[in-house]
């Protein structure tokens, strides 16, 4: 698959010859107006634009797990509410549809007398299948690869020649001096809505989700938990780009980037990690916006190992994206990229893990936090994943599915890449990562405070 934008009706310079009458902009995991090249391309190409977000109620997975928790749903609703308000400032609107993209976009395109759709490129199987089905309906899909920090075309190797090991990848990028592109400014104006937009939208739109932090998660069967390290129900941690940019600014203003490496393995709290990942996952914030703020911070206050480590983590995020460009659907098979046998799976063990009933205190504390809040520290994600795979002898794909359901910062690339890495079925030549639980307790919760926090009602 190609990471480049597919576009028709362009001249040799890649700019539109003539503006088309109407186009649909399909928001996926890019819920922002700033640094959104696909949106800029749409605005330059069309005289009128309909902005659409498609909700779909997925059936449960083969592991008997839901596809999305109330935590994720609330955070998404918050992000979409913020995006809608920003679009309204421009005189536009966001049409939310409770159907899959392949179900509604062909009919919407017909209703608005257009065949043209703009969206971001997502190199994961389900998302690629959506694009292929839409094209089979005769629609013109203009897709733009834009979620990575680095532009694939600027790398010192092609996607097919991506190094198998992250360290080799990182050294190649740094030795070549690859610099991320600057964030793209939001359009000064948005093309207007078609004249008949409101008439047609009335048939399709779903009821707006009003986000109220004083109420429980809508339809989730759970409650907001004051112990959360990312209290998404508070305005400062809301899902939209408004909260994301405010958090980005305050994080660097407070100098937290100079201590990140020392605190990143802590288990609980608001400030031990950057907390950028939920907004990165929904696209309310881009990696290039973070990089720009990081470099400005280093220019003003100096660089150190900790500020470098933020760049390091952004490169890991890119590496998992590029793995998808190289291997695609193979990353979702039982074997992954390995020659290991099909993993064993004990469904009862898996259910006990999901329900925080394994009998291992640190693991149960982590799984309790995950279910109660939709978040979990990076250190604990590795610990509970290792325990599921190696101690409970369960299929790594079941764990990946549970994380997809629960995590408000679920990202298809990073989730798949990290589970493959722990299971020893990714591109790394090491045979996985099995954690010694007692050593982890000694190193990260020696006083038992975290375990008491999440195992005591």
């Amino acid at each position: 698959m190609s990471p480049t934008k597919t576009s028709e009706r362009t001249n040799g310079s890649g700019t539109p010859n003539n503006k088309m009458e109407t186009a649909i902009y399909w928001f996926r995991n890019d819920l922002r107006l700033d640094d959104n090249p696909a949106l800029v391309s749409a605005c330059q190409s069309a005289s009128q634009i309909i902005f659409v977000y498609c909700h779909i109620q997925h059936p449960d997975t083969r592991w008997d797990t839901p596809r999305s928790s109330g935590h994720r749903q609330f955070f998404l609703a918050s992000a979409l509410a913020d995006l809608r308000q920003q679009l309204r400032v421009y005189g536009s609107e966001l049409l939310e549809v409770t159907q899959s993209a392949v179900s509604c976009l062909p009919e919407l395109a017909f209703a608005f007398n257009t065949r043209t759709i703009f969206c971001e490129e997502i190199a994961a199987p389900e998302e690629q299948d959506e694009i292929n089905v839409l094209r089979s309906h005769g629609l013109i899909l203009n897709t733009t690869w834009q979620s990575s920090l680095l532009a694939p075309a600027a790398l010192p190797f092609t996607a097919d020649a991506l190094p198998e090991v992250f360290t080799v990848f990182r050294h190649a990028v740094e030795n070549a001096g690859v610099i991320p592109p600057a964030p793209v400014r939001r359009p000064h104006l948005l093309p207007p809505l078609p004249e008949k937009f409101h008439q047609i939208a009335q048939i399709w739109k779903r009821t707006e989700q009003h986000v109220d932090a004083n109420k429980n998660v809508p339809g989730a069967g759970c409650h907001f938990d004051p112990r959360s390290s990312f209290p998404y129900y508070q305005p400062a941690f809301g899902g939209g780009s408004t909260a994301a940019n405010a958090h980005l600014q305050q994080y660097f203003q407070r100098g937290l980037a100079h201590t990140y490496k020392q605190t990143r393995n802590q288990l609980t709290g608001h400030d031990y990690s950057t907390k950028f990942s939920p907004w990165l996952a929904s696209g309310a914030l881009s990696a290039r916006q973070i990089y720009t703020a990081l470099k400005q911070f280093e220019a003003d206050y100096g660089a150190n190992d900790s500020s470098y480590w933020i760049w390091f983590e952004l490169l890991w995020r890119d590496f998992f994206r590029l793995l998808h460009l190289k291997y695609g659907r193979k990353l979702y098979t039982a074997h992954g990229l390995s020659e290991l046998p099909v993993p064993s799976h004990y469904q009862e063990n898996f259910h006990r893990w999901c329900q925080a009933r394994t009998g291992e205190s640190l693991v149960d504390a982590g799984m309790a936090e995950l279910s109660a809040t939709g978040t979990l520290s990076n250190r604990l994600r590795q610990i509970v994943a290792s325990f599921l795979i190696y101690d409970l002898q369960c299929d790594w794909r079941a764990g990946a599915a549970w994380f997809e359901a629960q995590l408000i910062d679920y990202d298809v690339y990073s989730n798949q890449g990290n589970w493959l890495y722990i299971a020893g079925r990714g591109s790394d030549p090491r045979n996985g990562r099995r954690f010694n639980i007692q050593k982890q307790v000694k190193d990260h919760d020696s006083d038992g405070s975290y375990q008491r926090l999440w195992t005591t009602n």
Side-chain angles (χ1 to χ4, degrees):
M1 68 191 67
S2 170
T4 58
K5 180 177 68 176
T6 57
S7 180
E8 301 186 17
R9 300 172 64 107
T10 60
N11 58 31
S13 65
T15 57
N17 289 317
N18 295 293
K19 282 197 172 186
M20 64 192 73
E21 182 66 21
T22 302
I24 292 173
Y25 189 85
W26 170 27
F27 280 104
R28 303 178 87 187
N29 295 332
D30 59 333
L31 305 183
R32 64 183 184 275
L33 302 185
D34 294 301
D35 194 30
N36 192 327
L39 186 143
V40 170
S41 179
C43 292
Q44 292 173 342
S45 303
S47 298
Q48 300 175 335
I49 294 184
I50 306 104
F51 295 99
V52 179
Y53 185 87
C54 303
H55 296 266
I56 179 172
Q57 300 299 315
H58 290 285
D60 287 354
T61 70
R62 60 184 290 189
W63 315 105
D64 194 26
T65 63
R67 288 293 295 268
S68 181
S69 69
H71 302 297
R72 279 188 64 194
Q73 293 165 25
F74 187 95
F75 191 71
L76 173 62
S78 174
L80 291 171
D82 184 75
L83 178 61
R84 181 184 301 108
Q85 287 304 116
Q86 293 188 49
L87 289 172
R88 286 175 175 173
V89 170
Y90 285 85
S92 193
E93 185 57 87
L94 178 65
L95 175 59
E96 292 187 53
V97 179
T98 311
Q99 286 188 30
S100 69
V102 298
S103 296
C104 73
L105 289 182
E107 293 189 42
L108 277 173
F110 178 80
F112 286 107
N113 193 31
T114 182
R115 295 171 56 217
T116 305
I117 298 174
F118 290 83
C119 65
E120 72 162 335
E121 178 85 12
I122 303 176
E126 287 185 357
E127 289 79 0
Q128 287 291 305
D129 289 345
E130 286 182 312
I131 296 295
N132 293 334
V133 171
L134 290 170
R135 284 182 172 145
S136 74
H137 283 280
L139 299 177
I140 300 169
L141 270 292
N142 297 275
T143 67
T144 301
W145 176 266
Q146 60 184 24
S147 73
S148 61
L149 175 65
L150 304 174
L155 296 172
F157 39 74
T158 62
D160 290 343
L162 175 74
E164 299 288 285
V165 179
F166 170 73
T167 301
V168 178
F169 160 76
R170 177 172 61 86
H171 288 162
V173 166
E174 293 177 340
N175 291 338
V178 181
I179 302 297
V184 176
R185 291 185 177 182
R186 67 169 59 194
H188 179 62
L189 296 172
L190 296 181
L193 296 166
E195 184 176 344
K196 57 181 180 178
F197 170 80
H198 293 287
Q199 176 186 351
I200 295 174
Q202 193 64 36
I203 302 170
W204 287 90
K205 75 175 184 178
R206 73 189 223 141
T207 303
E208 289 184 18
Q209 299 295 299
H210 296 288
V211 179
D212 187 347
N214 296 314
K215 295 183 179 180
N216 297 337
V217 182
C222 56
H223 304 270
F224 298 135
D225 198 304
R227 296 170 292 181
S228 176
S229 292
F230 192 94
Y232 58 83
Y233 50 87
Q234 296 179 5
F237 294 89
S241 65
T242 300
N245 284 287
H247 177 82
L248 179 68
Q249 183 178 17
Q250 69 86 26
Y251 180 83
F252 287 109
Q253 283 180 343
R254 294 169 61 205
L256 294 173
H258 274 160
T259 58
Y260 170 69
K261 191 177 180 182
Q262 286 72 48
T263 63
R264 65 190 178 90
N265 278 320
Q266 293 177 11
L267 306 185
T268 189
H270 293 176
D271 293 333
Y272 71 85
S273 67
T274 66
K275 300 296 192 294
F276 297 147
S277 61
W279 292 298
L280 278 171
S282 69
L285 187 67
S286 78
R288 292 167 188 175
Q289 289 174 294
I290 295 172
Y291 176 81
T292 299
L294 171 65
K295 300 313 289 184
Q296 185 61 58
F297 171 82
E298 291 182 329
D300 292 341
Y301 303 105
N304 68 359
D305 285 349
S306 284
S307 62
Y308 170 82
W309 217 254
I310 296 174
W311 154 261
F312 179 92
E313 298 289 3
L314 290 173
L315 285 185
W316 258 117
R317 182 177 179 273
D318 266 22
F319 183 68
F320 287 142
R321 280 161 163 68
L322 296 168
L323 273 181
H324 277 69
L325 293 179
K326 183 173 183 177
Y327 290 110
R329 206 172 296 267
K330 190 174 182 181
L331 298 170
Y332 294 77
T333 63
H335 301 281
L337 305 181
S338 76
E339 297 182 359
L340 296 172
V342 173
S344 60
H345 186 69
Y346 298 93
Q347 189 71 355
E348 178 56 32
N349 286 353
F350 175 60
H351 281 157
R352 289 194 295 112
W353 179 80
C354 294
Q355 296 164 8
R357 295 190 297 106
T358 69
E360 184 62 63
S361 179
L362 183 62
V363 172
D364 288 346
M367 297 306 293
E369 180 187 8
L370 177 59
S371 292
T373 69
T375 191
L376 195 64
S377 68
N378 181 63
R379 172 58 52 176
L380 274 166
R381 294 184 198 200
Q382 296 179 75
I383 292 169
V384 301
S386 168
F387 191 81
L388 179 72
I389 294 167
Y390 300 108
D391 294 84
L392 297 181
Q393 296 291 296
C394 289
D395 194 314
W396 65 274
R397 294 171 298 168
W402 185 249
F403 271 26
E404 175 182 355
Q406 298 299 316
L407 288 169
I408 59 173
D409 66 349
Y410 167 71
D411 172 282
V412 62
Y413 303 108
S414 296
N415 192 58
Q416 205 72 11
N418 278 307
W419 276 94
L420 284 163
Y421 177 70
I422 296 294
R425 295 169 185 265
S427 61
D428 194 282
R430 290 175 290 184
N431 294 321
R433 294 202 66 193
R434 182 171 188 169
F435 286 80
N436 181 313
I437 300 297
Q438 297 314 310
K439 183 178 186 302
Q440 295 301 311
V441 170
K442 180 181 178 181
D443 290 347
H444 302 291
D445 192 38
S446 59
D447 63 357
S449 59
Y450 177 81
Q451 293 166 81
R452 288 192 299 275
L453 179 66
W454 288 104
T455 56
T456 303
N457 293 326

